[in-house]
């Protein structure tokens, strides 16, 4: 996610328009949240009730993520894939709150679900979350980071730059926005490097009067705990809608999964664990019930599903897919209550008192790849002992919802709806 601040000095008003190109940059491959994983992770500072500090934000981040999903879904064209990172967007906007003041910060805090906390608590929580991500790698690669690309002629407040380095692991890039093409190339190179080349050419058409671009990226690369056998993958139909079918490479694995069939909410839920602390939750609505499931989805619903999972034998058929989704978030965030930061009423005096800044653009891109091995070849062999009973079947051959969850920080890394696995 990148925020870009144009620095066009208007003599009568002395305002620099800030083009916060909040281009949330996410690259994913696969993930898993699994109730049977071990609990060997480092424990950091605790909150007042004894929980890890980073957990203080998990409820707010989840509420924000589901509210954002519903906004994006309402504006999305029929049949279009939706995919984004709630944590990445929350993290990027939190870097912005660090420099916001007055009503501008209050609106951001309210929309992000941080109303019960002060800025120091939010800062400490993110600092601990970044620490957890850096030290809980295992067999996965999980990167969450921020950067500030600062124009050579713009001098943001030193306190702000120090704080985003300390609390949000932000790096600083010195660029010359008077040469927009060169500046964009430098920023895009940084983004590609930190997202395994999955996010390319995110930044385009920079205004030469830009003062600063704030960048957030999140990248996950993992291996399935139990890979699919590629020899069993075969071509099958996927029903995009009642009148549209596409051919997909359908993976197949029979094994013991954490599974739940929710008759009341007309859906089937299955967890696919990756090595490490991540999991993929797949939610497959019954035919014709996608809108019903979407209307009810919330952190409470996810918790209900998670607590209702039980281990059983399932023949799972899941399409391979590689998708990329872009979203402009300006209008969506304003409809969610973040208005001042986009207007002349913006108070970002914690970043710069002179010139004044406002956000001009917030955009987001997310990429997801899913295949038989996860994202890299698995070098281990597993043997499953199966009961004699016939397994149930879950055939993911119609639109479904996907969440990528991280257990140690209780974070929703990514979420979305896959309407068409073949759409790039």
């Amino acid at each position: 996610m990148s925020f870009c601040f144009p620095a066009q000095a208007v003599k009568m008003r002395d305002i620099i328009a800030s083009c916060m190109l909040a281009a949330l940059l996410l690259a994913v491959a696969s993930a898993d949240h699994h109730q049977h994983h071990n609990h060997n992770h480092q424990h950091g500072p605790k909150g007042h009730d004894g929980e890890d500090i980073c957990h203080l934000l998990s409820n707010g981040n989840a509420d924000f993520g589901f509210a954002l999903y519903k906004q994006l879904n309402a504006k999305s064209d029929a049949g279009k894939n939706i995919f984004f990172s709630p944590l990445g967007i929350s993290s990027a906007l939190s870097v912005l709150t660090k420099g916001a003041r007055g009503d501008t910060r209050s609106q951001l805090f309210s929309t992000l679900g941080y109303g019960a906390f002060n800025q120091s608590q939010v800062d400490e929580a993110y600092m601990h979350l970044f620490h957890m991500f850096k030290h809980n790698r295992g067999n996965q690669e999980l990167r969450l980071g921020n950067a500030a690309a600062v124009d050579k002629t713009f001098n943001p407040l030193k306190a702000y730059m120090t704080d985003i380095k300390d609390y949000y692991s932000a790096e600083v890039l010195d660029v010359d926005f008077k040469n927009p093409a060169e500046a964009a190339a430098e920023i895009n190179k940084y983004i590609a490097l930190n997202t395994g080349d999955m996010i390319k050419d995110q930044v385009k058409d920079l205004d030469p009067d830009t003062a600063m671009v704030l960048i957030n990226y999140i990248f996950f690369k993992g291996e399935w705990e139990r890979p699919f056998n590629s020899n069993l993958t075969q071509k099958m139909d996927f029903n995009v809608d009642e009148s549209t079918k596409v051919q997909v490479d359908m993976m197949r694995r029979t094994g013991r999964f954490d599974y739940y069939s929710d008759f009341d909410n007309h859906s089937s839920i299955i967890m696919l664990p990756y090595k490490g602390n991540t999991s993929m939750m797949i939610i497959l609505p019954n035919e014709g019930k996608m809108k019903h499931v979407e209307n009810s989805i919330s952190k409470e619903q996810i918790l209900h599903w998670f607590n209702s999972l039980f281990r059983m034998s399932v023949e799972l058929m899941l399409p391979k897919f590689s998708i990329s989704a872009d979203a402009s978030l300006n209008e969506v965030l304003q409809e969610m209550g973040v208005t001042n930061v986009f207007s002349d009423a913006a108070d970002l005096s914690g970043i710069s008192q002179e010139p004044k800044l406002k956000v001009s653009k917030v955009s987001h891109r997310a990429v997801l790849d899913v295949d038989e091995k996860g994202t890299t070849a698995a070098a281990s062999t597993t043997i499953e002992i199966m009961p004699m009973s016939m397994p149930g079947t879950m055939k993911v051959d119609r639109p479904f919802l996907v969440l990528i969850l991280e257990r140690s920080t209780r974070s929703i890394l990514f979420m979305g709806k896959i309407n068409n696995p073949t759409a790039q």
Side-chain angles (χ1 to χ4, degrees):
M1 186 163 206
S2 44
F3 302 91
C4 110
F5 305 82
Q8 183 176 358
V10 182
K11 291 181 180 179
M12 293 176 58
R13 302 174 61 189
D14 197 23
I15 293 178
I16 289 187
S18 63
C19 132
M20 280 194 157
L21 175 108
L24 233 151
L25 315 165
L26 326 161
V28 192
S30 349
D32 163 308
H33 182 300
H34 194 220
Q35 62 187 5
H36 300 288
H37 281 318
N38 64 54
H39 299 268
N40 295 325
H41 64 271
Q42 297 188 12
H43 294 275
K46 304 291 180 179
H48 294 300
D49 59 357
E51 69 176 347
D52 286 342
I53 282 180
C54 62
H55 296 165
L56 293 177
L57 305 181
S58 59
N59 284 338
N61 285 347
D63 286 338
F64 171 73
F66 291 119
L68 182 57
Y69 173 83
K70 290 175 181 179
Q71 288 282 343
L72 292 172
N73 189 46
K75 295 180 178 301
S76 178
D77 295 335
K80 185 178 179 181
N81 294 324
I82 299 170
F83 192 66
F84 66 99
S85 171
L87 180 62
I89 296 173
S90 294
S91 171
L93 292 176
S94 295
V95 173
L96 188 59
T97 69
K98 188 63 183 171
R101 300 291 184 266
D103 289 342
T104 302
R105 180 159 64 184
S106 296
Q107 289 177 359
L108 285 162
F109 261 49
S110 177
T111 300
L112 289 168
Y114 299 163
F117 310 116
N118 58 41
Q119 185 70 54
S120 295
Q121 289 173 304
V122 172
D123 294 342
E124 292 286 340
Y126 272 105
M127 182 173 67
H128 183 47
L129 184 143
F130 281 104
H131 172 82
M132 294 283 284
F133 278 5
K134 288 178 181 178
H135 292 84
N136 282 307
R137 293 181 177 175
N139 292 89
Q140 67 183 18
E141 187 175 358
L142 178 57
R143 297 184 220 145
L144 173 66
N146 296 284
V150 181
D151 187 71
K152 294 177 179 178
T153 64
F154 175 62
N155 295 307
L157 295 174
K158 290 183 179 179
Y160 176 76
M161 300 305 292
T162 299
D163 284 345
I164 65 172
K165 288 179 186 177
D166 292 344
Y167 293 111
Y168 295 91
S169 296
E171 298 182 61
V172 177
L173 310 176
D174 292 321
V175 297
D176 181 7
F177 288 113
K178 293 297 184 290
N179 187 335
E182 184 180 298
E186 190 169 345
I187 294 171
N188 285 327
K189 181 180 178 181
Y190 175 86
I191 291 167
L193 178 66
N194 284 282
T195 60
D197 278 333
M198 294 184 75
I199 303 283
K200 296 181 179 180
D201 300 325
Q202 171 69 14
V203 178
K204 298 177 181 177
D205 304 322
L206 283 173
D207 190 318
D209 293 319
T210 297
M212 181 166 65
V213 173
L214 296 180
I215 302 160
N216 170 274
Y217 60 85
I218 180 168
F219 174 73
F220 175 78
K221 180 179 181 181
E223 300 174 10
W224 296 117
E225 192 173 85
R226 294 183 177 89
F228 291 81
N229 184 344
S230 59
N231 292 328
L232 300 179
T233 299
Q234 56 185 300
K235 296 289 184 182
M236 287 189 182
D237 285 340
F238 185 96
N239 302 291
V240 176
D241 54 40
E242 293 180 356
S243 60
T244 308
K245 296 181 185 290
V246 294
Q247 282 267 297
V248 298
D249 290 320
M250 191 72 78
M251 306 183 294
R252 183 194 300 257
R253 188 170 80 79
T254 301
R256 292 181 65 77
F257 293 90
D258 289 330
Y259 174 85
Y260 176 57
S261 182
D262 188 343
F263 295 103
D264 293 331
N265 208 28
H266 311 289
S267 54
S268 299
I269 296 89
I270 198 165
M271 297 293 286
L272 302 182
Y274 278 77
K275 295 176 181 177
N277 289 323
T278 47
S279 308
M280 176 181 284
M281 174 183 277
I282 292 174
I283 303 153
L284 180 65
N286 297 347
E287 291 188 27
K289 294 296 183 179
M290 174 62 82
K291 286 186 178 179
H292 174 88
V293 174
E294 288 178 315
N295 289 338
S296 66
I297 199 165
S298 64
K299 70 173 186 292
E300 291 80 12
Q301 183 66 64
I302 297 299
L303 183 61
H304 166 69
W305 283 333
F306 186 80
N307 290 334
S308 301
L309 294 168
F310 61 95
R311 183 64 62 89
M312 65 173 287
S313 300
V314 178
E315 181 186 24
L316 174 64
M317 286 172 273
L318 177 69
K320 291 172 60 173
F321 57 95
S322 177
I323 63 167
S324 176
D326 294 271
S328 175
L329 300 180
N330 291 40
E331 184 179 347
V332 169
L333 288 173
Q334 290 181 69
E335 290 178 356
M336 294 175 72
V338 179
T339 57
N340 280 18
V341 78
F342 295 100
S343 73
D344 289 343
D347 185 352
L348 296 172
S349 55
I351 300 176
S352 170
Q353 295 179 345
E354 293 294 337
K356 295 181 179 178
L357 302 170
K358 68 179 179 181
V359 174
S360 65
K361 181 180 180 181
V362 181
S363 63
H364 174 266
R365 177 180 295 177
V367 178
L368 172 63
D369 286 336
V370 174
D371 66 14
E372 291 91 347
K373 296 179 176 62
T375 60
T376 59
S380 61
T381 301
T382 60
I383 299 174
E384 289 194 43
I385 307 300
M386 296 291 297
M388 296 297 291
S389 59
M390 291 294 291
T393 299
M394 182 170 174
K395 187 177 183 181
V396 184
D397 62 351
R398 56 186 180 273
F400 59 98
L401 303 175
V402 58
L403 282 81
I404 294 176
L405 310 168
E406 204 282 333
R407 179 182 58 80
S408 65
T409 60
R410 303 179 189 172
S411 297
I412 301 174
L413 302 181
F414 304 94
M415 66 183 298
K417 175 169 63 174
I418 311 303
N419 278 308
N420 184 349
T422 66
Q424 298 294 315

